[in-house]
Amino acid sequence: MNPSNIRTGLMLALALGALALAGCATTTADCSLPRTASLDQAMDAAEAKLADGCEAEFDRYYAELLTIAEGDPGPDNKRKFSDFLLTATDQGLLSKRQAERAYNRYFNVKYVSLMGDYNNCAYTCPRKRQVLTAMEAELLDKELGLLRVSQDAPGYYRADRLYQETELVLEATCTACAAR
């Protein structure tokens, strides 16, 4: 064996060992949220964790906050989630568009899964089943956000009616498109 290869291998092994020891010395941030039934406390904790190195946990925090809010429902929860998303936007965790989509998916009667300036005949009709399936899934999220988290039954029933109307309009539109 060539002595230069042995020396290079030894130096590489020492460098890897030093990296491994250095990795053991560093600690990772604790990104778990404390168990609480208070939405305000959970949101404060989530905002602090997000600002302290746990940015990758945003989606999990949002889901946990929705679950906590389900046990602490009220009309003011819409504003609380809006404020939480605005803070995340200010911290650079979400774009303004992402924050709007996250809010609207749960707390608005508008469907984010149907937004866009698409030609129905060319774009929506060929994927009508996919669009309606996405809207059905979003309606479940609206049930959580509008009905169970913010106690906005009229808003939820408007969203449900909008889904049913969209289904009828798409059926008629796509039938007309196919007849052309």
Side-chain angles (χ1 to χ4, degrees):
M1 214 177 222
N2 183 340
S4 134
N5 287 344
I6 293 172
R7 189 175 38 238
T8 303
L10 185 57
M11 289 174 50
L12 183 60
L14 287 172
L16 288 174
L19 281 174
L21 287 175
C24 291
T26 60
T27 58
T28 57
D30 174 20
C31 292
S32 60
L33 289 180
R35 297 285 174 217
T36 179
S38 166
L39 181 59
D40 291 331
Q41 289 175 357
M43 283 188 166
D44 288 345
E47 286 178 3
K49 296 281 185 179
L50 289 167
D52 195 31
C54 296
E55 301 90 357
E57 301 297 322
F58 179 84
D59 291 337
R60 182 174 63 84
Y61 289 168
Y62 196 72
E64 283 186 41
L65 292 172
L66 285 165
T67 299
I68 292 167
E70 204 175 352
D72 190 10
D76 199 35
N77 285 346
K78 283 184 180 182
R79 181 198 50 78
K80 291 176 183 180
F81 275 91
S82 176
D83 290 347
F84 178 77
L85 291 166
L86 285 173
T87 299
T89 301
D90 291 344
Q91 291 175 341
L93 301 174
L94 299 174
S95 69
K96 184 177 177 185
R97 176 175 277 155
Q98 289 171 315
E100 286 174 359
R101 288 179 66 85
Y103 180 84
N104 287 339
R105 180 167 190 90
Y106 290 90
F107 299 103
N108 197 320
V109 298
K110 294 188 290 185
Y111 282 83
V112 297
S113 53
L114 190 62
M115 289 187 174
D117 298 323
Y118 304 115
N119 176 309
N120 281 329
C121 289
Y123 183 79
T124 307
C125 289
R127 47 187 297 274
K128 179 177 73 170
R129 179 54 19 220
Q130 288 173 290
V131 169
L132 291 173
T133 299
M135 287 180 70
E136 287 172 22
E138 187 173 341
L139 183 59
L140 291 174
D141 291 339
K142 290 180 184 315
E143 179 182 350
L144 173 61
L146 289 169
L147 200 56
R148 297 193 317 251
V149 167
S150 60
Q151 299 176 325
D152 181 4
Y156 170 73
Y157 291 115
R158 278 195 323 269
D160 182 51
R161 189 172 55 250
L162 180 60
Y163 168 76
Q164 293 171 17
E165 291 169 357
T166 300
E167 190 173 31
L168 288 172
V169 168
L170 273 180
E171 188 61 40
T173 301
C174 295
T175 300
C177 291
R180 280 203 243 161

